[in-house]
Amino acid sequence: MTSAVKLGLVSVMLAAVFVMALMLGEHTVNLASVMHLLIQHDAQDFVVWNHRFPRSMIALVTGAAMGVSGALVQGIIRNPLASPDILGVTQGAGLALSIALLIFPSTSPALLPLVAGIGGFCGAALLMAYNIDEFSPVRFALTGIAISVTFSGITEFLLLTHPTEVNTALLSLTGSLWARGWQQLWPVISLLPMLCASMLLAKPLDLMALGDQSAASLGVRMKCLRWGALGLAVLMVSVSVSIVGPITFVGLVSPHIARRIMGGRHLQLLPVAAMVGAVILLASDMLGRSLMPPSEIPAGVLTAIVGAPYFLWLLHKAK
């Protein structure tokens, strides 16, 4: 099967899951009605146009950003067990959001992406500061895990010590698309140029896979590449976390599935990782609101249920 056919099949799967996300939920809407409501742009339609469509678009773009971020991080440190949520970036963004929502509850929602970005960059800065002298993929990953655990512990402490504001914070930190709509869709658009920019790193990342010395001899500026790719991944994850909360394992699992479909070349890997990440988040959100209506299971819970066994399987294979 050629790469073009594989890419076409993944695209069809993404389109199918997106349409199903518009149809399924507490109330099932048939395909003809979905198309009619989308064409009408009816402001009084609170099921498809004002609820499921913007929510699905948010899941589509943020899932793609998480998938690409995972592929970039794995390419930088050449470790298949790496992802932004394992290296402390996601937890750093989550901790910054917790501080803003719990200690400064009057923080404007418009500032939350900036706050999450600062938190994510602080996590990445700690990671790089500890590894700046000598870069080792294993040391890099272990440092990230230690930072992740520390940030998660501080976040839980803040939640326990601020019981009156905890509901507001949990709404942002559970990793869910509940109550996300048109208002949250516009900040998501900022992720699109970042996704396009990540494609510019495809060739240098392929050369980096040959080894640091070989890549440097072919003209790759290693430090610039590492900082540039890591900064882009941190920015995408931070914006995503500020909108849907810290959803784990999408950044870890998506590049692996994409690599099995398309191989290791980043020019093909990055777009397919984006599509796989979008499929995972769309499907998790759709299942979360369809399994136990009218209650919703957060998408982050479902991705963790699937992602944790997959991570253990990766560890088993890595032995």
Side-chain angles (χ1 to χ4, degrees):
M1 190 180 295
T2 64
S3 297
V5 173
K6 292 178 181 177
L7 189 62
L9 290 175
V10 177
S11 302
V12 169
M13 180 183 293
L14 175 58
V17 174
F18 185 83
V19 172
M20 289 173 65
L22 297 178
M23 296 171 59
L24 302 178
E26 183 178 356
H27 303 289
T28 301
V29 182
N30 63 48
L31 181 58
S33 298
V34 166
M35 299 305 295
H36 177 69
L37 291 168
L38 287 178
I39 293 170
Q40 271 193 325
H41 294 186
D42 185 359
Q44 302 301 316
D45 169 24
F46 290 100
V47 177
V48 175
W49 181 249
N50 283 320
H51 177 56
R52 293 182 188 172
F53 180 72
R55 178 172 174 158
S56 299
M57 287 298 295
I58 292 171
L60 177 77
V61 180
T62 54
M66 292 177 192
V68 171
S69 300
L72 290 177
V73 171
Q74 289 177 9
I76 296 165
I77 65 176
R78 298 194 290 272
N79 187 334
L81 301 180
S83 74
D85 44 290
I86 292 175
L87 297 181
V89 175
T90 305
Q91 287 76 8
L95 174 59
L97 279 180
S98 302
I99 293 172
L101 294 169
L102 296 172
I103 300 178
F104 305 103
S106 60
T107 303
S108 169
L111 293 177
L112 293 181
L114 176 63
V115 171
I118 293 172
F121 272 102
C122 286
L126 275 175
L127 191 64
M128 296 302 289
Y130 199 76
N131 292 274
I132 197 166
D133 294 331
E134 181 182 355
F135 185 84
S136 158
V138 174
R139 177 189 170 99
F140 198 79
L142 290 176
T143 308
I145 291 171
I147 293 172
S148 304
V149 173
T150 304
F151 283 169
S152 297
I154 298 172
T155 301
E156 290 178 11
F157 173 77
L158 289 174
L159 291 173
L160 288 172
T161 52
H162 294 78
T164 55
E165 297 89 0
V166 72
N167 287 334
T168 305
L170 284 177
L171 187 63
S172 298
L173 297 174
T174 49
S176 169
L177 285 108
W178 182 80
R180 270 62 170 182
W182 286 108
Q183 189 177 3
Q184 289 78 27
L185 179 59
W186 303 120
V188 168
I189 294 174
S190 66
L191 291 169
L192 295 178
M194 300 181 209
L195 287 168
C196 296
S198 68
M199 293 303 299
L200 299 175
L201 301 173
K203 186 177 179 181
L205 286 173
D206 283 341
L207 294 176
M208 190 176 181
L210 301 174
D212 287 2
Q213 289 185 348
S214 300
S217 66
L218 292 171
V220 177
R221 300 170 67 181
M222 300 301 292
K223 283 190 177 180
C224 291
L225 177 59
R226 285 198 178 104
W227 278 104
L230 186 61
L232 194 57
V234 169
L235 200 55
M236 286 193 287
V237 169
S238 300
V239 173
S240 301
V241 170
S242 71
I243 297 165
V244 300
I247 293 180
T248 56
F249 290 110
V250 177
L252 172 67
V253 173
S254 302
H256 278 278
I257 297 174
R259 203 171 285 115
R260 284 179 171 273
I261 296 173
M262 300 300 289
R265 291 189 60 193
H266 285 82
L267 195 59
Q268 298 171 333
L269 175 66
L270 292 175
V272 175
M275 287 191 277
V276 172
V279 166
I280 291 174
L281 195 50
L282 275 168
S284 300
D285 181 52
M286 178 181 65
L287 288 173
R289 55 189 156 88
S290 304
L291 291 176
M292 300 172 59
S295 301
E296 285 195 14
I297 303 172
V301 173
L302 293 177
T303 60
I305 289 173
V306 176
Y310 189 80
F311 184 68
L312 292 173
W313 178 71
L314 286 177
L315 284 175
H316 177 73
K317 281 193 67 178
K319 287 180 180 178

